[in-house]
Amino acid sequence: MDNMDLTCGHFVNPFTDIGFKIIFGQPASKELLITLLNELLAGEHRIENLIFLDKENHSDSMADAGIIYDLYCLTDTGEYIIVEMQNRFHSSFLDRTLFYMCRAIGRQVENLREKRRKERELQTGKPETEEDFLLSEPMQENYGSRYKLSTVYGIFLMNFREPGLEEKFRTDTVIADRESGKVVNPHFRQIFLQFPYFTKELKDCETLYDKLIYTLKNMQHWNRMPDALKEQVFSRLEELAAVANLSLEDRIAYDKALDCYRVSRIVEEDAREAGWKKGLAEGRAEGRAEGLAEGQAKEKVAIARNLKSLGLSTAQIAQATGLTEEEVESTVNN
């Protein structure tokens, strides 16, 4: 294991639950989250503002299958965005992300009134009371309008390699025609980011997008921001993510989360090393067995040739060596 994995730098580790929450999941970090999302969605969509929605029904216990933290947001133009940091592999992870997406889509129809209220709150900048909302609520719409959906983006930051995805850093999925590739429904978007496949060095990061990803992957080891990261967003990140700036409550929670992260990494590495040693031992045993069998076979061939030179018949040689008569004929004639 790389010793750097267990060091405690100046900045919080974004691959811990509280670390990711501090960087992206609090009101003070909203602009930072917007910057990251706009870089991820560059050329497709631009967010000017968003609000954090209640995650109570959108995330499971963090003790389950390595879930770190997820954010649920509504943008100023009506899109819903799920952002999840997944620290370690678990089976059926891709199915789980699909479930999260479908649940967010289904809730738009199930909670149509709440959806409209949140959208209006984001547009006006102030919450509405039930009475205000009912007074401003338009007349009943037709049946089909009820199923008009807003786009749901699922962005999954993964600190592991997922076997179900291609061996690359970013994978984008849409609902599209299998033959033509044409998008059938634009309201379902998933972006998977496998951090182990991001191998760029800072000197190779030319875009803000690459610099942000590089920083998230490596910042836990730093004592200060590198001089090459001059953009304003990194000054804000430096301020938010500094361990020294945490409140006492957050520091206690972060220390516990960091300890869990370290233990998890140690357990995984020990299991990997144990598997490697077992495989090596099995390979050596198999090699010894193959070598012994090959040596015995060569010895039989040498004996068969010696007996043949003494004038023994093929049947006698076969009986003496344990070879078949066909093997004897083949051996002594070659």
Side-chain angles (χ1 to χ4, degrees):
M1 181 187 296
D2 188 340
N3 290 332
M4 290 183 69
D5 288 342
L6 299 181
T7 59
C8 181
H10 178 77
F11 303 109
V12 298
N13 183 340
F15 296 108
T16 62
D17 54 348
I18 188 67
F20 193 67
K21 177 182 178 181
I22 288 168
I23 296 173
F24 293 115
Q26 56 178 325
S29 58
K30 184 170 70 170
E31 293 303 320
L32 189 60
L33 177 60
I34 290 175
T35 299
L36 175 65
L37 295 177
N38 281 336
E39 289 301 311
L40 287 171
L41 302 176
E44 178 179 351
H45 184 68
R46 181 162 184 82
I47 301 167
E48 297 295 338
N49 193 17
L50 58 77
I51 58 174
F52 294 102
L53 300 179
D54 177 25
K55 303 183 299 299
E56 181 179 354
N57 295 319
H58 301 273
S59 60
D60 295 329
S61 167
M62 288 183 292
D64 291 341
I67 282 296
I68 294 301
Y69 192 79
D70 71 6
L71 308 177
Y72 191 53
C73 314
L74 174 65
T75 73
D76 54 321
T77 48
E79 292 80 18
Y80 292 84
I81 300 182
I82 299 168
V83 186
E84 180 180 325
M85 175 67 83
Q86 179 74 24
N87 180 36
R88 61 185 184 273
F89 169 81
H90 71 76
S91 60
S92 303
F93 172 70
L94 296 182
D95 287 344
R96 187 171 189 169
T97 65
L98 179 62
F99 173 69
Y100 274 27
M101 294 289 292
C102 292
R103 182 163 57 177
I105 292 171
R107 282 173 61 87
Q108 291 186 47
V109 178
E110 295 168 3
N111 302 309
L112 187 59
R113 177 171 291 183
E114 181 65 17
K115 172 188 174 183
R116 290 173 176 165
R117 181 184 298 175
K118 287 294 185 182
E119 290 173 345
R120 192 166 299 164
E121 176 184 331
L122 188 54
Q123 293 168 2
T124 62
K126 59 181 182 179
E128 290 183 324
T129 65
E130 181 72 14
E131 183 177 354
D132 292 335
F133 179 76
L134 290 175
L135 289 174
S136 58
E137 178 71 349
M139 296 293 291
Q140 182 74 24
E141 298 176 352
N142 62 55
Y143 179 77
S145 298
R146 178 181 180 86
Y147 293 94
K148 184 178 181 180
L149 299 175
S150 298
T151 300
V152 175
Y153 289 92
I155 298 173
F156 304 96
L157 292 77
M158 304 151 59
N159 194 26
F160 64 94
R161 294 176 174 86
E162 166 55 53
L165 299 175
E166 292 188 36
E167 296 180 356
K168 61 180 183 178
F169 170 61
R170 176 168 176 162
T171 299
D172 289 54
T173 68
V174 296
I175 298 178
D177 179 79
R178 189 171 188 175
E179 182 177 356
S180 68
K182 180 181 178 181
V183 175
V184 175
N185 191 311
H187 301 305
F188 185 99
R189 286 281 284 107
Q190 288 181 294
I191 299 174
F192 298 95
L193 304 176
Q194 299 181 85
F195 274 75
Y197 290 117
F198 187 86
T199 57
K200 288 186 177 181
E201 297 296 333
L202 182 54
K203 61 182 176 59
D204 303 316
C205 296
E206 299 179 355
T207 65
L208 179 58
Y209 169 74
D210 281 346
K211 290 178 181 178
L212 282 168
I213 298 301
Y214 176 85
T215 300
L216 289 177
K217 183 174 182 179
N218 296 285
M219 62 184 292
Q220 60 177 303
H221 310 307
W222 299 343
N223 288 319
R224 64 180 182 85
M225 283 288 169
D227 294 336
L229 301 176
K230 300 181 182 300
E231 290 85 351
Q232 179 62 33
V233 64
F234 295 106
S235 296
R236 183 58 176 155
L237 178 57
E238 184 173 26
E239 179 184 355
L240 284 170
V243 174
N245 292 341
L246 299 182
S247 66
L248 177 60
E249 181 181 1
D250 281 348
R251 182 57 191 267
I252 293 173
Y254 175 66
D255 286 344
K256 290 181 178 178
L258 187 60
D259 184 60
C260 289
Y261 173 82
R262 290 169 172 170
V263 170
S264 172
R265 294 296 299 273
I266 291 172
V267 169
E268 289 175 1
E269 188 65 21
D270 286 349
R272 190 179 299 113
E273 184 176 353
W276 178 81
K277 288 181 178 178
K278 180 179 178 181
L280 181 62
E282 291 176 349
R284 286 174 174 171
E286 183 178 347
R288 284 196 296 268
E290 290 179 354
L292 179 61
E294 184 178 351
Q296 290 174 339
K298 288 181 178 179
E299 183 180 7
K300 289 182 179 180
V301 169
I303 294 173
R305 287 174 177 168
N306 287 334
L307 294 177
K308 183 68 175 179
S309 66
L310 295 175
L312 273 68
S313 67
T314 298
Q316 290 173 321
I317 295 173
Q319 184 177 3
T321 60
L323 297 172
T324 66
E325 294 190 13
E326 290 78 10
E327 289 174 335
V328 171
E329 289 290 344
S330 174
T331 297
V332 298
N333 292 329
N334 290 333

